[in-house]
Amino acid sequence: MKLLRIGAPGAEVPAVLGEDGEAYALSGLTTDLDGTFLASGGLDRVREALATGALPLIDPAGQRIGPPVARPGKVVCIGLNYRDHAEETGAAVPERPVVFMKDPSTVVGPYDQVLIPRGSEKTDWEVELAVVIGREARYLASPDEAIDRIAGFAISNDVSEREFQLEYSAQWDLGKSCETFNPLGPWLVTPDDAGDPRTLGLRLAVNGETRQSGNTKNMIFDVAYVVWYLSQYMVLRPGDVINTGTPAGVALGLPGTPYLRAGDTVELSIDGLGTQRQTFVNA
């Protein structure tokens, strides 16, 4: 299934795309797509309602698409999780996952404008596979237990301000948590519809020019391992989002470091997960 949220910020209507390509409103089943919905068997209720034809049609044409998960409790990120990205930035290939947190309020819709922070000279892009947790993950015994904790997958743009991130602090938070710095969506795609998370192609273009073209098969730590690993150090709860890392091709690692400027447009896609597009503007 492909779940989405349609409408203005704070007033989104939860919906699902049927096999016929039509969008169906879920307002009779839930007030929103959030951790409470996921923890209470919401995905199963949606499947049943779809099968019985009980859901009303909704027309998303001309309407804003919001992030597919409302109010994530936390956004956990894995840095340097593609060997080629670690090499382009001059960092050592990590022996353990590099973990940092991102302010959950950075999550915005897949087509929303992204604000370049005041004083920024090094705003950068990162296409990433996002994992949304559907069941609590706490001290999992092995990566094999991770998959049934996952509600689904989405495209994430882990926007970063490199000067704030790498030069202003010993930790990365300043450059990762600026407002609007995590476009997510357009859909939350359930594992049965998303394909193998170990073999998904990721792409990103800036003003129509391809900058990133990678594949999750080149992750250093795959999705199951990441979920298992994180569960040893924190409780992952329904609605939490994990950004699993980016392949090579970020501005930081390109000749001339072509960081983003107001008016630039970034387009991202991942196999089976759709496409998102943002225009960058000054805050």
Side-chain angles (χ1 to χ4, degrees):
M1 294 188 300
K2 295 179 176 68
L3 295 98
L4 67 162
R5 299 168 67 245
I6 302 169
E12 294 94 345
V13 173
V16 62
L17 294 182
E19 292 185 2
D20 56 3
E22 298 284 357
Y24 296 88
L26 300 177
S27 48
L29 296 179
T30 182
T31 57
D32 217 336
L33 303 180
D34 55 14
T36 299
F37 164 80
L38 295 172
S40 63
L43 294 178
D44 290 336
R45 294 197 300 275
V46 174
R47 288 191 183 95
E48 182 178 348
L50 268 178
T52 59
L55 298 173
L57 282 167
I58 183 173
D59 185 3
Q63 298 195 63
R64 171 183 177 269
I65 304 299
V69 180
R71 301 173 298 279
K74 54 182 172 287
V75 177
V76 189
C77 303
I78 307 300
L80 305 173
N81 197 26
Y82 288 72
R83 188 176 301 272
D84 56 358
H85 175 55
E87 291 172 349
E88 74 171 345
T89 63
V93 174
E95 297 182 3
R96 296 165 65 97
V98 175
V99 180
F100 62 95
M101 310 292 283
K102 193 162 189 167
D103 181 353
S105 70
T106 59
V107 174
V108 295
Y111 310 110
D112 289 348
Q113 288 184 331
V114 175
L115 301 179
I116 296 175
R118 294 178 184 179
S120 169
E121 295 293 337
K122 298 181 179 181
T123 294
D124 206 346
W125 58 81
E126 294 188 16
V127 60
E128 306 204 6
L129 174 66
V131 174
V132 177
I133 297 298
R135 293 177 52 210
E136 183 176 281
R138 176 179 178 271
Y139 292 119
L140 298 182
S142 75
D144 292 337
E145 293 187 0
I147 296 302
D148 69 356
R149 269 37 179 214
I150 296 172
F153 303 93
I155 303 170
S156 182
N157 188 355
D158 177 17
V159 185
S160 309
E161 210 299 341
R162 301 302 188 186
E163 187 174 25
F164 298 0
Q165 175 191 354
L166 302 172
E167 300 175 40
Y168 286 3
S169 174
Q171 298 186 1
W172 291 1
D173 302 53
L174 291 182
K176 293 289 187 173
S177 289
C178 304
E179 59 181 332
T180 72
F181 262 28
N182 203 140
L184 188 70
W187 310 315
L188 171 64
V189 184
T190 53
D192 58 328
D193 199 20
D196 188 342
R198 297 169 297 184
T199 60
L200 299 177
L202 308 86
R203 293 159 295 277
L204 181 146
V206 179
N207 299 327
E209 182 176 352
T210 298
R211 293 299 193 181
Q212 291 184 276
S213 181
N215 194 290
T216 56
K217 68 183 179 182
N218 295 320
M219 281 184 176
I220 299 169
F221 307 103
D222 67 17
V223 164
Y225 186 93
V226 165
V227 173
W228 165 80
Y229 182 84
L230 292 175
S231 79
Q232 308 306 302
Y233 302 98
M234 64 184 75
V235 180
L236 299 173
R237 295 187 170 88
D240 287 350
V241 174
I242 304 170
N243 289 336
T244 58
T246 197
V250 299
L252 176 65
L254 290 174
T257 55
Y259 292 113
L260 294 164
R261 298 290 181 257
D264 286 344
T265 298
V266 177
E267 187 166 353
L268 308 82
S269 64
I270 297 180
D271 293 345
L273 304 186
T275 299
Q276 58 172 242
R277 179 185 176 93
Q278 301 98 39
T279 298
F280 282 66
V281 299
N282 290 325

